[in-house]
């Protein structure tokens, strides 16, 4: 199975290094020296990582055969793709690969069917499940412990405890002002 593990950003310096936007929880495993990665577009690769380092909080990589800024800049926006054994599991408990979560049925803790996970959106602050409802609409469910209470891979389902308004129109509008009857004072 192939998983996107990073996206190449801008060139850094003049010796062929590039910044990368990491899209894996295991960069030391997937993006280490010697790793051979497929690319999207395919014409840019495969690429073999020659070296890597962290600079000002960003991962910088250099690839074999890329020795200058021009070569590095030509790789900008290329996706790096690793081959991963589909049976491989993340190291941490309660961690999942995207492919394990895609197509899980989503139900509320009361057993109400919500839909099926079609995509995982990785945002800077949290991940979101993109859930396709039976009527074809989509709902976004934050992948946080308070809302996603259980992932059951054997039963192929995710159990959620959504706050009011997340998946339906049960939201209550709260106001800090008391309702005031107004009359015509003129």
């Amino acid at each position: 199975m192939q998983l996107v593990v990073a996206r190449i950003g801008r060139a850094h310096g003049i010796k062929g290094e590039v910044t990368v936007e990491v899209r894996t929880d295991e960069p030391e495993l997937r993006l280490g020296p010697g790793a051979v990665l497929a690319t999207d577009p395919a014409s840019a690769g495969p690429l073999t990582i020659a070296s890597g380092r962290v600079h000002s909080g960003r991962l910088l990589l250099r690839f074999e055969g890329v020795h200058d800024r021009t070569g590095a800049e030509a790789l900008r926006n290329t996706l790096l793709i690793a081959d991963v054994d589909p049976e491989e599991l993340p190291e941490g408990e309660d961690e999942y690969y995207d492919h394990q979560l895609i197509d899980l049925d989503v139900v509320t803790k009361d057993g109400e069917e919500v839909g099926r996970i079609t995509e995982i959106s990785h945002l800077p602050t949290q991940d979101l499940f993109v859930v396709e409802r039976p009527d074809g609409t989509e709902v976004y469910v934050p992948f946080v412990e308070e809302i996603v209470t259980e992932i059951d891979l054997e039963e192929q389902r995710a159990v959620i405890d959504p706050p009011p308004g997340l998946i339906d129109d049960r939201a209550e509008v709260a106001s800090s002002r008391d309702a005031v009857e107004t009359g015509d004072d003129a």
Side-chain angles (χ1 to χ4, degrees):
M1 168 181 309
Q2 295 191 317
L3 298 176
V4 174
V5 293
R7 183 184 66 80
I8 297 175
R10 60 182 176 79
H12 179 83
I14 60 171
K15 296 183 178 180
E17 285 184 310
V18 294
T19 61
V20 292
E21 174 189 309
V22 177
R23 295 188 180 176
T24 176
D25 289 338
E26 303 166 321
E28 63 285 342
L29 176 66
R30 309 279 180 222
L31 301 171
V36 179
L37 303 166
T39 60
D40 181 9
S43 60
L47 294 172
T48 301
I49 298 175
S51 65
R53 66 187 177 104
V54 176
H55 175 72
S56 298
R58 296 225 7 115
L59 179 61
L60 303 178
L61 295 179
R62 193 175 56 73
F63 299 100
E64 290 181 7
V66 179
H67 303 290
D68 59 20
R69 185 174 187 88
T70 303
E73 197 60 46
L75 296 173
R76 190 174 198 158
N77 293 321
T78 298
L79 297 177
L80 299 175
I81 303 167
D83 281 319
V84 177
D85 180 350
E87 301 301 315
E88 183 180 324
L89 298 175
E91 291 178 8
E93 188 177 322
D94 291 334
E95 290 183 2
Y96 304 94
Y97 290 131
D98 287 3
H99 72 272
Q100 294 175 292
L101 301 171
I102 300 293
D103 287 332
L104 290 185
D105 292 325
V106 178
V107 297
T108 65
K109 66 179 184 166
D110 300 327
E112 177 187 340
E113 179 186 0
V114 177
R116 153 183 92 72
I117 300 172
T118 57
E119 182 181 338
I120 312 296
S121 181
H122 300 282
L123 303 176
T125 55
Q126 68 189 17
D127 296 335
L128 290 176
F129 290 161
V130 179
V131 178
E132 183 178 315
R133 302 188 72 145
D135 65 5
T137 61
E138 289 182 337
V139 64
Y140 300 98
V141 177
F143 188 19
V144 294
E145 192 175 342
E146 295 80 18
I147 296 174
V148 180
T149 59
E150 178 185 357
I151 298 290
D152 187 338
L153 296 178
E154 285 187 26
E155 294 292 323
Q156 288 290 291
R157 70 182 187 151
V159 178
I160 65 172
D161 184 11
L166 182 67
I167 61 171
D168 56 26
D169 58 3
R170 293 182 296 150
E172 297 176 16
V173 178
S175 173
S176 60
R177 293 184 281 156
D178 293 327
V180 178
E181 270 189 47
T182 58
D184 193 83
D185 293 345

